[in-house]
Each structure stands twice: as C-alpha cells, then as structure tokens.
Amino acid sequence: MTVQPILTARGLVKRYGRVVALNHADFDLYPGEVLAVIGDNGAGKTTLIKAISGAIRPDEGEIRLDGQKVDFRSPLEARDAGIETVHQTLALSPALSIADNMFLGRELRKPGFRGRWLRALDRDKMEEVARQKLNELGLLTIQNIRQAVETLSGGQRQGVAVVRAATFGSKVIIMDEPTAALGVKESRKVLDLIQDVKSRGLPIVLISHNMPHVFEVADRIHVHRLGRRLCVIDPKKHTMSDAVAYMTGAMEPPVEAAVA
Amino acid sequence: MKKTVLKAGALAFAGATMLALSAPASAQEVSACLITKTDINPFFVKMKEGASAKAEELGVDLSTYAGKIDGDHETQVQAIESCIASGAKGILLTASDTKAIVPAVKKARDAGILVIALDTPLEPIDSADATFATDNFKAGELIGQWAAKTLGDEAANAKIALLDLAPSQPSVDVLRNQGFLQGFGIELKDEKMIGDEDDPRIVGNDVTSGNEEGGRKAMENLLQKDPDINVVYTINEPAAAGAYEALKSFGKEEGVLLVSVDGGCPGVQNVKEGIIGATSQQYPLLMASMGIEAIKKYADSGELPEPSPGLDFFNTGVTLVTDQPVEGVESIDSEEGLERCWG
Amino acid sequence: MSDAGAAPHKQDFEEVLDRSDKSVAAFEGHEKNLMDRLQHFLHGNPTMVPVIVLAISIIAFGFIAGDRFFSAFNLSLIMQQVSIIGILAAAQSLVILTAGIDLSVGANMVLASVIMGNLGVQLGLPAPVAIGIGFICGALAGALNGFLVTKVRLPPFIVTLGTWNIFFALNLWLSGAQSIRSQDIDAQAPLLKFFGESINIGGAQFTFGSMLMVLIFAVLWYVLNRTAWGRHVYAVGDDKDAAELAGIRTSRTLVQVYALAGLVCGIAAWAAIGRVGSVSPQSFQEANLQSITAVVIGGISLFGGRGSIIGPLVGALIVGVFNSGLRLAGVDVLWQVFAIGWLTIIAVAMDQWIRKVSA
C-alpha cells in the first residue's frame, strides 16, 4: 500500500511573454517528509514554488491538495487551505513586535462585546500564544515578546517566521532559502528548528542552494532543471556532487531516479 | 479645360485677396489684458466683473490672468509676456510685487502697450503709464479721524490694536495703517514702515493675511497682551469679521470701536448691524471700467490718461461709510453704502 | 552516511561548535552617563520627546512672558487656537503613518466647509443634513486620493499636490470667493457654529472645538493601537511588501486610510466654521503645511510605520505655545516664523538621535 502524496502538481506551465518558466513541471510531496527543491538560477524553481503557494496562477496543469483539485487565486487562499510559506524576505514588519508579527493578518479579538463592536485586540492572548509557540520550538533566547522584530538577530527573525508558519500551517510549510543570510551557528539553529517542525508531522518543502544543509535535513531532493522536474534523488544514495551535476546538466540522472 | 482651371484659379485668388484685405478691419478690434493678484479675493473678482462688462460694452477683447496666491509674482510676469505676444493694446495690473514687476512692465511699454496700475501703485509710481487707485492712505485716514472724533477727549487714553496684512508689508498694508494712525493723531516715524511708532496708546500689531481666521487669531493675541483695547483697526472687512468673533468670545463686543477698509457689501452690512463702526469704501468696479475706457481711448487716439489734480495717480474715490457720523469727517450712511457696494 | 532514522548529524566542520562561545553577544559595559541614559529612555518612549519639549517650553515662556502667558485662560486659548490645525494633524498622521503624505487636507477641509455653508445657509437645507453631506464630501475627496495612490499608482506627494489645487479651485467656484457672514449663519443654520461654543471652568475657556480635537485623537489612538486594522496601518507603512505577503490587503487599507483622513477633514470643516465664525473660503491656506509641521514635531516618522498618534497633538500644542509665548514676550511675527522653522528641524534631528541607541 503506497502512501498518497499530500500535495501534487502535474503538467504545470507558466509563460512570461516568450519565456517559458514552467514547462510541464510535476511535483510530489509526501506526508511527514522534508522535500528539498534544488535547481540552478533560472531553472524555474521559484516559479514552481510560487504556483503551489498561490502567488501565481499557472497557465496550464493542475495542483491537488489531499487529493482535491485546487486553484489558488492568491496567497491568502493557499494559506486558508493550510499551506504556509516562509518567504526569503520573511514578511516581517520591522517596527512591530514579535507578537504583532505572529498574528499579522490573523489577529485575535477579545471575546464578546469588546471584540465584536469595539473590535478590540486581545493582546494578552496573542502574546501568550506567541510566547508558548516560541518556547515549544525552542526559541528561548528571545526575552521580550513585545520587542520590535528589528531588534532581533537574523537567526531569531528567521525563527519567528518559521514559528509563525508552523503555528498556522496545517498541511504544508514552504521555506524559501531559510539559511541563505545566516551565519554558522544561526543556520544550525534553523536546521534544528526544521527538524522540530517535521517531528510534529508537518511536511516541509525546502528551497535552498546550500548543499550541505540540504543533504542533512532532506528526505528526498527534487532536482529542477529547464522548467521541469528532472529527477528526485535520495540523499543517502547520491553525493552532493552528483546533485550539483544533475542540476547543472553536467550529468544525466540514472533511470530509476529520473521521473517523467 | 485649361481655361476653366485658370478662371477658377483667378476667382479663388481674387476671393482670397478680398478676404485678406477685409480681415485687418476686424483685427483692428482692441484687445486688453487684466492681471490681478489673485482670483480669490472678492475685490479682484469684482474688478474682473467691472472690466469684463465695460470691455463688452466698448467692444474690447479682454483676457484675464491672476496669480495663484497673493505674492505670486511669477505668474504675473508670464501674463505680461503673453499679452505682449498677443498684441494687446493695454494692460491693467494689480501687482503682487510692486517693485519686481517693473522690468516686465517696461518691456510692455516699450512695445507700445499702455500699462495702467490698478489699486496698488508700482514702485516707483511712474513705472506705469497711469495709476487708477484708491487713495489707500486717505482710506486709513478717514477711519482714523472718525475713531478719534468718536472717542473725543478719551482719544488721549485710547488703547489701539492694529490688525495688518502680512509680515512683508505690501504697499496697501503700509498706506492704510499709516493713514489710520495719522488720522487718529499719532505721530508717524517712517511713513513707509509699519510698527515703528512708539506712542504708548498702541498695544501692538499683528498680521491677519486679510481673512477671517487671521483676524480672529490676531485679535485674540492682542487682547491677551492688553484686555483693555478699545480701538481696533483692521486691514479689510474679512479680518474685521474675524476680529469681532474674538471680541465676542472675550465678552468685549460692546465698547470697542472696530474700523476697516473695503466697502464690500458684506462689510457694509456689518456696518449696518453695528459690528463695524466705520469702513472706508473703495470702488474696484469703477477702477476696472475706467481702466478699460482709458485703454480704448489710447487705442483709438493715442491719448494718455491724466492723473487727478495734485496727485500722481487717478483717484477713483474713497468714501467713509458709517451710521454714526462725526463732525468734520464727511460720510455716507450704510443704506447708501449698500447701494454702492460691491461683492 | 547515516541511516534514515538517526538523529540529525552535524557537518564535520561544525564539530567544533560544541566548544564554541555560546553567548549571543557580549558587550563591554561602559559607564552610562546621563546623556546615554536619557537617550536610552527616549528610545524606549519616543513620544516623551515632544511631551518634554512642551513642558519645558510652557515653563520657560512662563518665566519669560509672565502670568499673561501662564494663566489658565491663555493656556486654554492656545488650545483653541490650535484646535483646527490639531484636527488636521490627526488626519495627516494617519496618512504619514502609511509612509504617504497629504498636501490636500486643508483644501479638503475648506471645500467641505463651503459645501456645508452653502447647503445650510444659502439653500436652507437642515443643518444636520448639510453637515452630513460635508462629511461625505470630505471622505470622498480622501478616497479619491487613496484611489489615485493605489490604483493609478502615483506617489502620494504628487497626487495630493494635484488634489490640493483641484479642491482649491472647486472651493473658489462654489463660493465665488465670498464668505458667508457670521450673522447669516446665526439666522439660518446656527448648528454650523456649534464648535465655537465654549464652557468656562475656573479661568479657562474650553471651546467644544478644543474638546473635539482631544476626542478625535483619543478615538484614533484606540483605533490605531487596539484594533487589528490599526496594526495593519502601521504594517503597511513599515514595510508594504512584507504586509502584503503576510496577507494584509494593502491597497484596500490604504484607500481606507485616505478616506478616513478625508472624513476627519470634513469634521474639521464643521469645527472651523465655529472657530472662525463665518464660512471663509480664503482662510486656512497654510493649513496643509502647518498640519505636516505638527506631525513632524510630534515625532511621527515621514518614512512611515513609526510614531504614536498622540505626538502630533503635542506637536500642535508646541507650535501654539511657541507662537503665544514669543508674541507675549514682544517678539516680532518674523521671529515666530523663524522659531517654528528651527523647531521642525530640531524635532527631526532629535528623532534621529534617539534612534541611535548603544548598549
């Protein structure tokens, strides 16, 4: 009995004028796994991710979530369906507090009259939930939940963005270059965080250029090239230089790894 | 065939020549320009109306221009240049910057255009061919004399507030202010400057921008300096209306003499209702229509307009309007003022 | 190569991390002198800057100008004098918080007041109807700004520069440059002058207009700090792209901000009639820039996303205090203008200084 993928895409096509960014691309994500997506610049992996996170609508092809066909007209719709994205830019508002940022766009209101008529924010509750979630995922170095996000280090900010996605994401979490801007120690912390999230049962799509990190955390690696999925490889059965070779076209992948 | 074409050609040519010869006859129509400081102030709005009406009556083609705000000198320079280019015979001008506009005026006069300054004399006054203006100094003097005579002996102990126009002290501001003080009997130091007097009866000066908001604020400020003010001079009637509101809120509307200059219909109405004690009425419609007449005359015969005897400008008249006349100062009552008012 | 079920392993080069310095950052403690402490305190509470300036200037002018300045009556008079600019500053703050600017607030207000006046006095409509229509016109004018900024994507400075002129021209056209006299308003629609009424407490005279100013700031403070929409306003001004990605509909929020600002201008119009006593199309020509001055002195960043809305209320009061104090001290109008200019520059410089906090 095979496990069904939680998120699949078949035959995605996206054109920008004469440039074909996605050329009948496929995608599969299985429950509970960390799937890394790698590809050289211009290979179309960003476009692929945008399509499954609702940032763009493909010209052709279909996407299925939990077996149901979906058509996201905006990132909000993808979010409502349970797909959370941690963007490369983090989408955090620098001057607002950690708690504010956690709930940005999904604020909690006070119950009853004050919440409905005066539309009062339930700041205490939001701060409590934020603190709790940060603790759960081990981000204990943050002392004051009210401090502005801009006062945090890069790694701490990444942590907040990841915790936000993990808190609200119910089906899939996408992370776009989470360690790109971080130093050694902070990257380590983020990778640990990724493992924590995975252990709670959420599948993660990880886009990254950093081969060591990819090979460390990924269960499978989706290699994207020339607008389509070239192959999916097992990090335990291939080396990093293999992956780079496939990605850049220096080598053709072996038959059992090649897909479509 | 050829003959027909030739005939047609000849006819066409003749027709065109006749048209060309007859065209100059209508191009002889006189055109004039009216350039005011702004379009906002009702004074200038009335001027425009007066000029347009007279122009239509006399068959003069009138173009009007205005600056965007009081002090917008640039737009007026451009307007003069447009008028020169369009072949106008005369320009009526109320200058925002009475000194800086002189070179542009000279250019117009060199091109043979008659330039008449309206309401605000240029500096020097003979930069224009003629000036049709209210004697602003006299306007101030009349209300000063009225205030002093109304107070009688108490004039020696009066406490006077002076609500002026702007920190830049344009000529109309200076003339009215200094005229008022002289009429009241206060010694002027430099009659070209506001605020240099040292008579202890003067509580102070403040600026109003000539509108109600400024009038209110300036009156409040001066009342704070000395709550016993009993004479208030204002640069124009909107400022006076604002000053009155301030007096009312301080509970001082009775017992304070409020005087102004303009003679607009709302202002004269205020005289009638006892809000303003006396106002000097001026005649913008007359200024403008006389200006158009002068341009037509100049276009027809080359005759230049003459100043009033003894003055270097043509006095279009100023009359004191009050319902409490005093001896020795000629005035008309508010009813008559309403008949002659503008706005 | 490890097997699938093993715990995550570190890269070889990361083995040394176990021995690494675990502290996040270490700073050499240095003597915090008074300036540093002050800077630190102000950094945490930026709105204190204008409050402190206000307090110091009231005390200073009290000494310089005596008790003609420092009386309950004069201080309440200052509140009256700044009430209209204060309300406009509230509208301006909303827009500046989104990293925009609105050069048309004053013209919007005057246009609304002319509409109210013409409907209520010339046409004789019931005053509440005239006032309501004035409010709607203010909000629509603001929404026009919002639409041009978000849908046509023009910079707010350019848009509101244009609408400033448009509203101004409409104002002149509707009013014919004529004011509507105070006495005529009393006869036809006295409700228009409502905010000019006042109550006396002790020696102080509080107009309803001053109270309205405080009320508007209180309401906007609540909206900006205690509702989700308020957070969104700050987020849009702070980092619009981040806000968009976080799921905030930035265009819709922006239009709402500009429309709300326009509505506040409409309310200011009603208060202005009470303050001035007549419907005056020529008044408040400098109100646009004066409202921006109050906002800047109040500590709201022109780059958006930062600052408390209470700041501009204090900023407006500071301007009023300076004008009154200098005047009562006998200083010429020219120097008052000079002083306000320097105040504005110093306010922004102070804001920059307190942002730089060490340790």
Side-chain angles (χ1 to χ4, degrees):
Chain A
M1 194 188 79
T2 44
V3 181
Q4 290 302 319
I6 190 167
L7 179 63
T8 70
R10 288 284 173 271
L12 294 179
V13 176
K14 181 70 185 173
R15 296 181 199 90
Y16 291 108
R18 269 189 262 168
V19 175
V20 181
L22 288 178
N23 186 8
H24 301 285
D26 296 333
F27 179 85
D28 291 292
L29 176 70
Y30 287 91
E33 71 165 351
V34 175
L35 174 74
V37 174
I38 64 173
D40 219 352
N41 280 337
K45 61 180 194 296
T46 313
T47 317
L48 172 68
I49 297 308
K50 281 189 178 170
I52 62 180
S53 68
I56 59 164
R57 293 177 82 184
D59 300 325
E60 284 169 42
E62 74 167 25
I63 302 175
R64 282 178 183 272
L65 178 65
D66 265 342
Q68 307 284 0
K69 194 153 167 320
V70 290
D71 178 21
F72 298 130
R73 281 169 297 178
S74 75
L76 278 178
E77 286 189 17
R79 219 168 69 168
D80 290 337
I83 300 178
E84 283 283 331
T85 310
V86 180
H87 301 270
Q88 201 167 356
T89 56
L90 300 185
L92 293 174
S93 193
L96 293 180
S97 74
I98 297 171
D100 283 336
N101 267 294
M102 279 284 285
F103 287 91
L104 200 55
R106 316 176 235 235
E107 291 83 1
L108 299 176
R109 293 217 182 84
K110 286 214 167 102
F113 166 76
R114 287 167 75 185
R116 281 192 49 217
W117 292 104
L118 297 181
R119 307 186 76 71
L121 288 175
D122 197 345
R123 306 181 100 186
D124 295 327
K125 185 130 203 280
M126 290 196 285
E127 282 172 17
E128 188 193 308
V129 171
R131 211 176 280 117
Q132 184 197 343
K133 294 290 171 192
L134 286 174
N135 280 343
E136 270 175 28
L137 284 161
L139 277 163
L140 294 166
T141 52
I142 294 175
Q143 303 292 19
N144 181 3
I145 208 76
R146 293 211 188 134
Q147 66 188 95
V149 152
E150 64 188 349
T151 62
L152 300 177
S153 72
Q156 289 173 319
R157 266 185 257 188
Q158 191 80 44
V160 171
V162 172
V163 167
R164 177 170 72 180
T167 305
F168 293 103
S170 55
K171 300 249 169 66
V172 176
I173 295 192
I174 302 171
M175 294 198 200
D176 191 352
E177 301 283 0
T179 58
L182 302 180
V184 173
K185 270 200 278 194
E186 297 197 309
S187 297
R188 168 60 30 209
K189 291 205 185 119
V190 172
L191 292 173
D192 291 341
L193 197 51
I194 291 175
Q195 294 291 4
D196 282 335
V197 173
K198 174 186 168 181
S199 69
R200 290 141 119 254
L202 278 171
I204 298 171
V205 178
L206 174 70
I207 303 145
S208 182
H209 277 129
N210 188 315
M211 285 306 149
H213 291 167
V214 164
F215 269 72
E216 181 188 323
V217 297
D219 298 311
R220 298 187 311 140
I221 300 174
H222 165 135
V223 181
H224 209 76
R225 185 165 146 69
L226 295 176
R228 53 203 345 241
R229 180 170 67 179
L230 177 67
C231 57
V232 181
I233 58 178
D234 183 343
K236 296 188 258 329
K237 300 207 180 87
H238 293 80
T239 66
M240 285 191 246
S241 38
D242 288 341
V244 174
Y246 302 148
M247 194 172 94
T248 55
M251 215 158 74
E252 283 298 320
V255 177
E256 71 270 15
V259 192
Chain B
M1 248 306 273
K2 223 172 159 188
K3 264 200 183 164
T4 331
V5 173
L6 268 175
K7 260 202 213 161
L11 265 173
F13 182 76
T17 320
M18 293 223 309
L19 265 172
L21 284 174
S22 63
S26 55
Q28 287 303 354
E29 189 184 82
V30 177
S31 66
C33 291
L34 169 67
I35 307 174
T36 52
K37 277 195 219 174
T38 68
D39 258 336
I40 333 167
N41 195 321
F43 187 81
F44 301 125
V45 172
K46 276 301 147 183
M47 227 187 231
K48 198 159 99 164
E49 277 176 29
S52 306
K54 199 51 150 186
E56 203 176 303
E57 191 192 307
L58 295 181
V60 172
D61 183 22
L62 180 68
S63 313
T64 62
Y65 304 83
K68 292 196 197 67
I69 51 169
D70 210 307
D72 180 1
H73 162 74
E74 279 313 314
T75 305
Q76 294 193 320
V77 172
Q78 284 165 16
I80 293 180
E81 287 168 355
S82 304
C83 291
I84 299 175
S86 72
K89 276 283 181 299
I91 295 178
L92 302 176
L93 169 69
T94 58
S96 261
D97 188 330
T98 49
K99 291 200 198 83
I101 200 80
V102 169
V105 166
K106 180 164 190 315
K107 258 204 311 205
R109 289 179 72 191
D110 288 343
I113 301 177
L114 179 73
V115 177
I116 302 180
L118 294 183
D119 180 58
T120 317
L122 302 181
E123 290 179 59
I125 195 168
D126 59 4
S127 315
D129 287 303
T131 306
F132 289 9
T134 306
D135 188 343
N136 277 305
F137 192 87
K138 181 119 198 275
E141 240 187 341
L142 284 173
I143 50 176
Q145 287 169 345
W146 178 88
K149 291 233 159 82
T150 304
L151 285 176
D153 292 330
E154 280 308 304
N157 303 325
K159 293 209 169 198
I160 305 172
L162 300 167
L163 271 54
D164 302 309
L165 182 61
S168 58
Q169 300 193 9
S171 64
V172 60
D173 204 6
V174 175
L175 288 169
R176 291 184 191 177
N177 174 298
Q178 302 283 286
F180 167 80
L181 290 172
Q182 177 144 306
F184 195 86
I186 289 182
E187 196 185 311
L188 302 176
K189 286 269 176 62
D190 178 353
E191 63 181 29
K192 294 223 184 319
M193 223 175 85
I194 291 177
D196 57 349
E197 297 77 25
D198 54 16
D199 191 309
R201 289 176 284 181
I202 299 178
V203 171
N205 300 61
D206 205 337
V207 292
T208 63
S209 305
N211 63 40
E212 289 91 334
E213 181 213 347
R216 168 139 195 182
K217 192 136 91 129
M219 188 76 260
E220 282 171 353
N221 295 336
L222 289 171
L223 279 171
Q224 268 304 82
K225 249 180 140 178
D226 188 338
D228 295 325
I229 291 174
N230 61 355
V231 178
V232 178
Y233 152 84
T234 56
I235 179 74
N236 66 13
E237 283 145 11
Y244 183 75
E245 290 297 311
L247 287 169
K248 232 171 44 170
S249 88
F250 274 60
K252 302 209 74 216
E253 65 268 35
E254 307 292 323
V256 172
L257 288 184
L258 182 56
V259 296
S260 192
V261 177
D262 249 359
C265 296
V268 178
Q269 185 69 24
N270 277 349
V271 171
K272 183 158 176 209
E273 294 183 21
I275 292 167
I276 295 180
T279 192
S280 287
Q281 187 173 57
Q282 44 175 0
Y283 302 100
L285 279 165
L286 194 61
M287 255 183 244
S289 64
M290 290 175 74
I292 296 289
E293 277 178 349
I295 292 178
K296 182 83 171 42
K297 230 198 217 167
Y298 171 75
D300 290 339
S301 66
E303 190 185 319
L304 289 173
E306 290 286 326
S308 299
L311 294 170
D312 46 10
F313 63 92
F314 187 89
N315 188 352
T316 51
V318 61
T319 324
L320 185 65
V321 178
T322 179
D323 283 339
Q324 293 147 57
V326 290
E327 220 185 282
V329 185
E330 232 183 87
S331 63
I332 59 176
D333 68 5
S334 61
E335 282 304 323
E336 206 186 323
L338 281 172
E339 280 167 37
R340 301 168 71 179
C341 71
W342 49 274
Chain C
M1 303 229 276
S2 56
D3 54 284
H9 73 292
K10 297 193 194 149
Q11 308 290 332
D12 289 334
F13 62 84
E14 290 179 327
E15 292 298 329
V16 295
L17 278 182
D18 286 333
R19 300 201 296 272
S20 70
D21 185 357
K22 293 276 192 294
S23 58
V24 176
F27 299 94
E28 253 172 48
H30 72 279
E31 277 294 305
K32 269 209 208 147
N33 60 31
L34 190 58
M35 271 321 246
D36 289 334
R37 270 203 253 259
L38 181 65
Q39 191 184 27
H40 214 105
F41 168 69
L42 292 176
H43 180 84
N45 305 283
T47 314
M48 285 310 287
V49 176
V51 171
I52 291 174
V53 170
L54 181 64
I56 293 179
S57 51
I58 291 181
I59 295 172
F61 282 117
F63 276 115
I64 300 175
D67 25 87
R68 250 187 275 124
F69 174 84
F70 205 68
S71 66
F73 183 72
N74 190 50
L75 293 176
S76 62
L77 180 66
I78 292 175
M79 261 186 88
Q80 271 184 53
Q81 292 188 324
V82 303
S83 57
I84 304 303
I85 299 299
I87 298 175
L88 287 180
Q92 185 70 251
S93 306
L94 285 171
V95 174
I96 290 185
L97 278 175
T98 66
I101 197 161
D102 192 340
L103 295 173
S104 70
V105 288
N108 187 348
M109 172 182 80
V110 178
L111 178 59
S113 74
V114 165
I115 291 174
M116 283 181 197
N118 275 301
L119 290 177
V121 177
Q122 320 286 45
L123 289 183
L125 289 184
V129 174
I131 291 171
I133 294 181
F135 286 179
I136 293 174
C137 289
L140 283 178
L144 172 66
N145 283 332
F147 173 78
L148 290 171
V149 168
T150 57
K151 288 288 178 301
V152 187
R153 295 187 195 270
L154 298 170
F157 186 92
I158 308 291
V159 166
T160 56
L161 191 59
T163 51
W164 176 5
N165 282 303
I166 292 172
F167 299 155
F168 186 61
L170 284 175
N171 162 21
L172 287 185
W173 175 60
L174 278 176
S175 65
Q178 296 283 39
S179 303
I180 300 178
R181 288 184 334 131
S182 178
Q183 293 68 29
D184 293 335
I185 299 179
D186 286 332
Q188 293 279 47
L191 186 61
L192 286 176
K193 285 171 68 179
F194 173 72
F195 285 105
E197 309 286 322
S198 58
I199 54 179
N200 284 301
I201 303 180
Q205 190 183 55
F206 293 108
T207 57
F208 292 156
S210 324
M211 297 190 249
L212 177 67
M213 171 177 69
V214 176
L215 179 65
I216 287 180
F217 274 102
V219 169
L220 286 180
W221 180 88
Y222 181 84
V223 169
L224 284 170
N225 287 289
R226 292 274 184 264
T227 68
W229 187 80
R231 299 284 89 201
H232 295 176
V233 171
Y234 274 96
V236 168
D238 197 13
D239 186 337
K240 185 151 166 259
D241 294 325
E244 186 77 46
L245 284 174
I248 294 173
R249 291 157 73 173
T250 55
S251 290
R252 199 166 77 143
T253 307
L254 278 173
V255 173
Q256 287 166 341
V257 164
Y258 280 95
L260 178 58
L263 175 63
V264 173
C265 294
I267 299 174
W270 186 10
I273 300 178
R275 161 78 188 148
V276 170
S278 46
V279 173
S280 165
Q282 311 201 32
S283 296
F284 297 111
Q285 303 224 9
E286 300 190 2
N288 301 311
L289 296 177
Q290 287 171 332
S291 69
I292 296 174
T293 305
V295 170
V296 169
I297 293 181
I300 289 192
S301 168
L302 285 174
F303 298 106
R306 286 155 211 277
S308 165
I309 187 134
I310 301 304
L313 172 58
V314 180
L317 289 170
I318 290 176
V319 173
V321 162
F322 265 78
N323 279 326
S324 175
L326 287 172
R327 202 181 309 107
L328 286 172
V331 173
D332 194 74
V333 174
L334 273 173
W335 300 112
Q336 291 168 36
V337 178
F338 186 80
I340 300 300
W342 277 109
L343 252 187
T344 313
I345 292 175
I346 293 173
V348 180
M350 283 233 37
D351 187 57
Q352 302 283 52
W353 177 68
I354 60 178
R355 281 180 198 284
K356 292 193 218 134
V357 164
S358 53

